[in-house]
Amino acid sequence: MSSLSDATHPATETIGDGRFLRLVRRGKWEYVERLGARGAAAIVAVTDDGRLVLIEQPRPALGGVAVELPAGLVGDTPGDESEEAAVAANRELVEETGYEASRIEQVAHGPSSPGLTSECISIFVATGLRKVGPGGGDGNEQITVFEVPLAEVEAWLGERIARGAHVDLKVYAGLYFARQLAQRK
């Protein structure tokens, strides 16, 4: 299997740099690279009583709010660039939802949008949750936390969509992993 980094493929050319992103071209293909992070982590957080923890926040690129799994960047803190993805996942879970997980297990890893970005994301299932803070994100975020019973997630998401919210497709992947967890119990 060949790779785009092989000598037979065109070199990457930087088209533009932002504070957090770089737009690049390889041959005719343009895509985005994230700067200052080694990837991302999304967390499927399930409470002991079977509720999926979801967040909603404004997303300027969408012109509205998005319902998402708690998530964040890995290795994006200066001095902690070698942070492990599971550590970043639990850190982001606390920051965004106020929950800390006693168990966190990686269940998937792959590209978030392979035609648009080189970024890869790891999905973790977090259990043994305990409330340790208010959540809501750092001072620059406007995160609302929801705890939705697994049996009601689809209906709840339908209500959010009817009110104009976008649903990140990773939520549906998270629901799959949350239901697998419920079946094991």
Side-chain angles (χ1 to χ4, degrees):
M1 181 169 136
S2 70
S3 150
L4 286 180
S5 61
D6 291 344
T8 59
H9 290 82
T12 302
E13 166 195 1
T14 298
I15 299 171
D17 281 319
R19 185 172 168 203
F20 303 108
L21 302 173
R22 173 181 296 135
L23 180 60
V24 297
R25 180 180 299 122
R26 184 182 293 268
K28 295 180 182 179
W29 200 269
E30 296 175 348
Y31 61 97
V32 176
E33 293 179 336
R34 184 173 297 280
L35 302 173
R38 293 188 353 271
I43 305 96
V44 181
V46 182
T47 64
D48 289 343
D49 63 349
R51 295 175 181 269
L52 181 62
V53 181
L54 296 169
I55 63 167
E56 185 176 84
Q57 61 183 319
R59 290 299 192 181
L62 298 174
V65 298
V67 176
E68 306 172 15
L69 297 174
L73 299 176
V74 177
D76 65 323
T77 305
D80 205 11
E81 293 85 0
S82 63
E83 174 182 46
E84 292 184 27
V87 172
N90 216 1
R91 173 181 51 79
E92 290 290 342
L93 182 63
V94 171
E95 180 183 295
E96 293 190 355
T97 71
Y99 279 106
E100 182 176 65
S102 64
R103 290 176 308 282
I104 193 152
E105 172 189 4
Q106 184 174 327
V107 293
H109 177 81
S112 59
S113 183
L116 178 66
T117 180
S118 60
E119 179 179 72
C120 287
I121 187 164
S122 296
I123 298 178
F124 293 86
V125 170
T127 56
L129 303 182
R130 108 184 138 88
K131 196 76 165 165
V132 296
D138 64 24
N140 299 317
E141 296 171 303
Q142 300 172 326
I143 294 174
T144 304
V145 180
F146 298 94
E147 298 175 20
V148 185
L150 282 175
E152 300 171 18
V153 172
E154 284 90 348
W156 183 86
L157 289 172
E159 292 171 12
R160 302 308 300 164
I161 292 167
R163 293 182 186 168
H166 300 270
V167 176
D168 184 335
L169 293 178
K170 289 184 291 295
V171 169
Y172 298 105
L175 187 54
Y176 167 79
F177 291 117
R179 290 205 167 120
Q180 277 193 326
L181 175 69
Q183 288 175 355
R184 288 187 293 202
K185 288 186 175 185

